[in-house]
Amino acid sequence: MGQPYQTIRWHVDPEQSVDTLSRNKDIHEAARMLREGKLVAFPTETVYGLGADAASQEAVSAIYTAKGRPSDNPLIIHIGEKEQLYTLAAEVPPAGEVLMRRFWPGPLTLILPHRGTLAPKVTAGLDTVGVRMPSHPVSLALLRVSGAPVAAPSANRSGKPSPTDADHVWHDLQGRIHGLVDGGPTGVGVESTVVDVTGEVPLLLRPGGITWEELQEAVGEVQVDPAIVQEGTAPRSPGMKYRHYAPQGEMWVVVGEGAAQIRRVQALADEARRQGKKVGIFSTEEHRAYYQADWVLPCGSRQDPASIARELYRGLRRFDQLGADTIVAEGFPPEGLFHSVMNRLSKAAEGRVVQA
Ligand code: TXA
Ligand code: MG
């Protein structure tokens, strides 16, 4: 089939207010395409999403085709107004209400029992649905103007790092989708936190932009899906079981601090270079000057976990462009946003995580 579409790319100013953007003619054009059942990628505060009308089985099917996504992996529904939640969810348990009030709009997805009003493909046949209200002004304006709930996975080809810039979307999906709203780089850099609130105690299925600590502060006890921390356990969130976020090169992650971490990272890099590999090191600002490799790319500062989340996918994609055969990345203690970063790093590394 190749590249069936001439993808339209609109540039919009992400600094404008939601109200101003809601009058923007390009946003209206993109919203019209969504209503017509076409595929439109757009920025959210986490990563770019690939949107389609969630009520249209055909439009939703097209998402799976464009991404090359396995059909047993359900999609997140994006809404522009909190009230829309009640048209999608059969019931919103008290913990769901609290989390929604506290974190919406923002990088939190709630898993709730659904009403059966969506295209069955959206939920991959499950009796639950994931819903979130993003905070990015461009996505809010687009969702409000379109008026429809929009199903949107991350706008990458399946298995690739999620797109944190419009160029990443263009690279992966140009010609496979109808439109791309370019609103510059995204802010958070890792996907939304996914929390199942259908049970007695909320269950964290995917760590993301909202931390476990923040969730606990809002609702008390929050359990963590064991699959997040333990390799080989069947995850409750279907999407968590696939190879993901992965660059082409073989990746290693070294957890630790200071001189011990630096020594171990360099040793792995040296060994790969002896085998004739092109090697990249993904280093925090603090350690960058200590390394030697074919490429040493910065992944943000240890003092600022948000900077590391923001740089993560950009860096992994950059190593692909450079043609790195081996990537050695610094790892972090699994706290706060580092928990989400480590989850993505260990998936990208397919579990090749070592202690310094
Ligand atoms: O930040 C984000 O969440 C981005 C932006 C575009 O909003 N979207 C995103 O979507 O990351 P996606 O499709 O790449 O990841 C959705 C995750 C998957 O792990 C999927 O299995 C899980 O949410 N999920 C969706 N519906 C679910 C459900 N009913 N039960 C359990 N997990 C679900
Ligand atoms: Mg994804």
Side-chain angles (χ1 to χ4, degrees):
M1 210 168 67
Q3 304 197 330
Y5 307 119
Q6 189 90 43
T7 306
I8 301 177
R9 183 169 177 168
W10 304 277
H11 294 265
V12 300
D13 178 0
E15 301 296 325
Q16 290 184 328
S17 71
V18 179
D19 281 347
T20 306
L21 286 163
S22 298
R23 292 190 295 272
N24 181 296
K25 72 169 180 19
D26 293 337
I27 294 281
H28 277 261
E29 165 93 7
R32 184 178 55 75
M33 282 193 173
L34 282 172
R35 282 195 303 266
E36 287 171 352
K38 294 178 175 161
L39 299 184
V40 177
F42 60 91
T44 80
E45 73 280 19
T46 56
V47 302
Y48 273 74
L50 176 56
D53 179 353
S56 160
Q57 179 82 345
E58 250 173 71
V60 171
S61 297
I63 288 183
Y64 288 90
T65 310
K67 277 186 63 106
R69 181 180 176 105
S71 61
D72 66 343
N73 191 3
L75 307 175
I76 294 172
I77 309 292
H78 294 64
I79 56 177
E81 310 277 358
K82 285 183 191 168
E83 295 68 48
Q84 280 177 296
L85 178 64
Y86 304 99
T87 66
L88 304 169
E91 189 207 333
V92 182
E97 289 282 349
V98 172
L99 291 173
M100 165 179 106
R101 295 230 165 85
R102 171 79 177 76
F103 297 110
W104 282 8
L108 177 72
T109 296
L110 295 175
I111 305 297
L112 297 152
H114 68 69
R115 279 179 180 275
T117 50
L118 297 158
K121 284 231 166 164
V122 169
T123 57
L126 300 175
D127 50 15
T128 53
V129 61
V131 186
R132 93 175 187 96
M133 179 179 177
S135 63
H136 196 294
V138 172
S139 37
L140 278 180
L142 181 63
L143 291 165
R144 286 178 188 171
V145 173
S146 88
V150 170
S154 49
N156 50 286
R157 289 280 288 167
S158 198
K160 291 281 131 205
S162 292
T164 53
D165 215 327
D167 284 341
H168 303 161
V169 182
W170 193 255
H171 175 270
D172 279 18
L173 297 176
Q174 187 258 112
R176 300 178 150 266
I177 62 177
H178 300 89
L180 163 59
V181 183
D182 180 344
T186 62
V188 178
V190 292
E191 298 87 342
S192 63
T193 298
V194 179
V195 181
D196 183 337
V197 289
T198 60
E200 202 111 304
V201 178
L203 182 65
L204 175 61
L205 299 183
R206 178 177 75 179
I210 303 289
T211 66
W212 184 34
E213 292 84 345
E214 287 174 303
L215 295 172
Q216 288 171 302
E217 207 179 289
V219 284
E221 190 189 357
V222 176
Q223 285 171 352
V224 178
D225 184 356
I228 293 174
V229 271
Q230 228 174 295
E231 285 294 319
T233 317
R236 294 274 295 270
S237 173
M240 298 292 282
K241 70 174 182 262
Y242 298 104
R243 180 165 190 253
H244 238 130
Y245 320 113
Q248 274 144 33
E250 180 178 285
M251 191 159 146
W252 292 83
V253 180
V254 178
V255 181
E257 275 178 34
Q261 186 181 36
I262 294 170
R263 268 199 304 275
R264 190 72 196 271
V265 167
Q266 189 63 58
L268 281 166
D270 289 346
E271 175 163 346
R273 284 179 104 191
R274 272 196 299 276
Q275 293 166 10
K277 305 259 171 66
K278 289 274 179 213
V279 179
I281 293 178
F282 207 18
S283 167
T284 50
E285 301 286 359
E286 287 84 351
H287 291 172
R288 217 176 147 192
Y290 297 102
Y291 292 125
Q292 281 194 322
D294 294 290
W295 307 279
V296 181
L297 296 187
C299 70
S301 163
R302 250 161 225 280
Q303 306 307 317
D304 179 10
S307 69
I308 294 180
R310 205 162 47 232
E311 292 307 319
L312 183 65
Y313 293 141
R314 180 186 311 282
L316 296 182
R317 281 181 177 261
R318 184 85 189 110
F319 282 121
D320 271 357
Q321 277 175 353
L322 293 165
D325 305 308
T326 302
I327 300 159
V328 189
E330 293 186 354
F332 307 94
E335 301 153 10
L337 260 187
F338 281 146
H339 183 213
S340 313
V341 168
M342 273 308 288
N343 172 264
R344 307 306 193 269
L345 278 175
S346 65
K347 277 183 195 302
E350 298 181 286
R352 284 181 291 264
V353 179
V354 297
Q355 199 73 41

